[in-house]
Amino acid sequence: MKATYHPGVHKYALFLVAWAVVLLTAGALVTSEDAALAVPDWPLSYGTLNPPMVGGIAFEHSHRLIAAGLGLLVIGLAALLWRYEERPWMRWFGLAALGMVTFQGILGGLTVLKLLHYWLPVMHACIAEIMFAILVSIAFLTSHWYMQDLPQYVDQGTPSIHFIVTLNSLVIFLQVLVGAGFRHKYLTLKPHVFGAPIVLAMVIWTAAVLRRRFPEVPEIGRVRKLLHSIVGLQILLGLVALWARINSADDPQPMFPVVATTVIHTVVGAVLFATSIITVLVCDRLVPRRREVLFATTKGEVPA
Ligand code: HEM
Ligand code: HEM
């Protein structure tokens, strides 16, 4: 269905993406500064909205405030989509984002109340990355580029490009999951370190197939290069984070180099996963699925 481009809605969605980057950084700082239980109660902090901002409380409470800010902003996003969107599934997507941010907030609270047990911090870390990808997707799906008429390209290869880019996202997500498992002391580092070459191989394969099948499509070229550079940066950051950890193993933690490198590694992990989802959406927008091609051909309409 054709939809109208609303620059205001798109810009608002981009603002939420920026806010979410700040929130991911604030959340990762809570973990790295070991401040998760600095505030023992929830939804209030020490029974108030304005506790003394000292020590770990400053990290934990500011994370809660920035998260509450995102919650309010997502209510606005869902309302804007409901009001202005012509695509029914986009309206529901806005509501789904609202449901997700609410769930994530409650999960954060439970993480504290249940004293970091039951894999809750791992779930909270992983849903944060999904939440970020949802916001980036909404910004992309409301962009002028997505709404305009675009040429369509036929996928000649097997497995289909849609399968490959989706698998790529799944592999990256599994790597995030085992990274969070290690970060929150539920897993050893081994699965995450072994996962890194698998992620790298998956990204190289995805990018190579995209180049081979769609050499002339500039948008596909762009996401391909982005995937390559971000995965390279992320592996480098992972190595530096590990080196900082080993190097300061005997020092009193949290040490600045360990905090800085792990926080950046966590946030860039979210950026990598979101980029892989954008790759899925770009392919979905430009490359008709086989059954769509078959349907159009049997109706006598060969896709452009
Ligand atoms: C609603 C949006 C929220 C998002 C996107 C979010 C995101 C994050 C992220 C990215 C982390 C870091 C995870 C890691 O480094 O592994 C984190 C940690 C944490 N968040 Fe949130 N958060 C949200 C809401 C909340 C709320 C409302 C609370 C309420 C208490 C909360 C409590 C925590 C705690 C305690 C940690 C540290 C967990 C640990 O160190 O084990 N979060 N959050
Ligand atoms: C290939 C791509 C990689 C991705 C997508 C990735 C992603 C992540 C993410 C998202 C986290 C934090 C999880 C959370 O939110 O709690 C994490 C943690 C971690 N990653 Fe990676 N990672 C990658 C590669 C690597 C590599 C190559 C190394 C080093 C050999 C590494 C070392 C670490 C370490 C040490 C942590 C825990 C940080 C800490 O709490 O001290 N990562 N990774």
Side-chain angles (χ1 to χ4, degrees):
M1 164 180 197
K2 255 194 120 36
T4 317
Y5 170 57
H6 296 288
V9 177
H10 174 58
K11 284 184 189 142
Y12 184 78
L14 282 177
F15 174 67
L16 263 67
V17 169
W19 190 285
V21 172
V22 176
L23 177 56
L24 291 179
T25 309
L29 273 171
V30 174
T31 304
S32 286
E33 291 285 341
D34 220 354
L37 300 181
V39 179
D41 54 340
W42 181 80
L44 292 174
S45 301
Y46 288 98
T48 163
L49 282 174
N50 192 20
M53 295 295 260
V54 290
I57 303 173
F59 287 103
E60 171 63 14
H61 189 65
S62 38
H63 173 54
R64 292 181 183 196
L65 291 180
I66 301 168
L70 184 73
L72 294 175
L73 288 166
V74 175
I75 294 176
L77 181 66
L80 281 177
L81 291 173
W82 199 261
R83 165 79 182 74
Y84 291 107
E85 257 302 333
E86 287 128 354
R87 297 166 291 180
W89 56 271
M90 247 338 256
R91 295 175 172 200
W92 289 106
F93 197 26
L95 283 187
L98 182 55
M100 203 68 183
V101 77
T102 310
F103 178 67
Q104 171 71 346
I106 295 171
L107 200 58
L110 286 179
T111 302
V112 171
L113 297 180
K114 299 288 171 198
L115 306 175
L116 314 181
H117 289 139
Y118 315 113
W119 287 75
L120 288 166
V122 179
M123 284 187 236
H124 187 67
C126 290
I127 291 177
E129 309 246 337
I130 294 175
M131 187 70 236
F132 182 67
I134 289 177
L135 294 175
V136 172
S137 300
I138 292 179
F140 180 70
L141 294 166
T142 53
S143 67
H144 182 254
W145 180 84
Y146 193 88
M147 307 268 190
Q148 65 191 326
D149 281 327
L150 289 164
Q152 299 292 290
Y153 302 89
V154 178
D155 178 15
Q156 305 281 13
T158 311
S160 81
I161 199 61
H162 303 293
F163 174 82
I164 296 173
V165 291
T166 307
L167 182 67
N168 181 53
S169 286
L170 190 70
V171 169
I172 292 174
F173 185 73
L174 286 177
Q175 175 70 349
V176 166
L177 176 70
V178 290
F182 169 67
R183 186 157 161 76
H184 296 281
K185 306 183 179 73
Y186 282 90
L187 297 174
T188 64
L189 185 57
K190 242 187 219 163
H192 193 61
V193 171
F194 285 137
I198 298 174
V199 171
L200 182 62
M202 185 70 221
V203 168
I204 290 175
W205 182 47
T206 306
V209 172
L210 286 170
R211 195 188 52 222
R212 212 175 321 116
R213 291 190 202 170
F214 308 102
E216 79 286 17
V217 187
E219 294 88 350
I220 290 187
R222 230 165 280 144
V223 283
R224 193 162 54 73
K225 284 177 200 142
L226 263 180
L227 272 179
H228 257 312
S229 359
I230 302 173
V231 83
L233 173 69
Q234 180 65 349
I235 291 179
L236 208 63
L237 284 168
L239 289 170
V240 177
L242 188 60
W243 173 82
R245 228 172 202 266
I246 295 168
N247 211 32
S248 65
D250 300 326
D251 300 332
Q253 294 296 340
M255 291 288 285
F256 176 75
V258 179
V259 173
T261 50
T262 51
V263 168
I264 299 173
H265 184 66
T266 303
V267 176
V268 175
V271 174
L272 177 61
F273 176 59
T275 308
S276 76
I277 296 291
I278 293 300
T279 309
V280 171
L281 295 178
V282 166
C283 290
D284 184 65
R285 182 68 184 83
L286 296 177
V287 185
R289 282 158 204 278
R290 299 243 159 91
R291 60 186 139 75
E292 290 164 1
V293 175
L294 201 67
F295 183 65
T297 316
T298 50
K299 278 177 63 193
E301 301 165 7
V302 180

